[in-house]
Amino acid sequence: MIPAGAAIIIFAAAFHRDEGKFPFADRFEPEIWLDGRAHKEPSLVPFSGGPAECPGKNVVLLTTTTLLAITTSGSSSRSADGTFC
């Protein structure tokens, strides 16, 4: 039993490192987000899902998207050979 007022922390990153559950646990494999494997496993979804979904999800997405837009607007990228993209 957890006493009233106790703080509980669930370290979600630990779920991502379970080699018994995910064969890609310790590899950079972005394809899991494209081929649907990540969406089949709620513990991999950054904001969770269902009734336990992060209530701040939309605020975080709006804030980070806005920050990215502001920091990249008006700038250009230069490739390794010196040409602009």
Side-chain angles (χ1 to χ4, degrees), residues 33-48:
W33 302 102
L34 300 173
D35 64 19
R37 287 180 286 164
H39 296 288
K40 293 178 185 174
E41 188 55 54
S43 62
L44 287 177
V45 179
F47 298 103
S48 191

Side-chain angles (χ1 to χ4, degrees), residues 3-84:
I8 298 174
I9 297 174
I10 299 173
F11 187 58
F15 296 113
H16 299 192
R17 301 286 185 238
D18 184 356
E19 291 178 1
K21 191 168 189 172
F22 307 116
F24 49 82
D26 289 317
R27 291 192 311 267
F28 177 68
E29 197 167 326
E31 296 82 20
I32 66 168
W33 302 102
L34 300 173
D35 64 19
R37 287 180 286 164
H39 296 288
K40 293 178 185 174
E41 188 55 54
S43 62
L44 287 177
V45 179
F47 298 103
S48 191
E53 183 176 60
C54 175
K57 174 183 177 178
N58 292 329
V59 173
V60 171
L61 293 174
L62 173 67
T63 305
T64 55
T65 303
T66 303
L67 179 64
L68 180 63
I70 290 170
T71 57
T72 59
S73 66
S75 64
S76 58
S77 301
R78 189 182 297 248
S79 65
D81 66 359
T83 58
F84 287 97

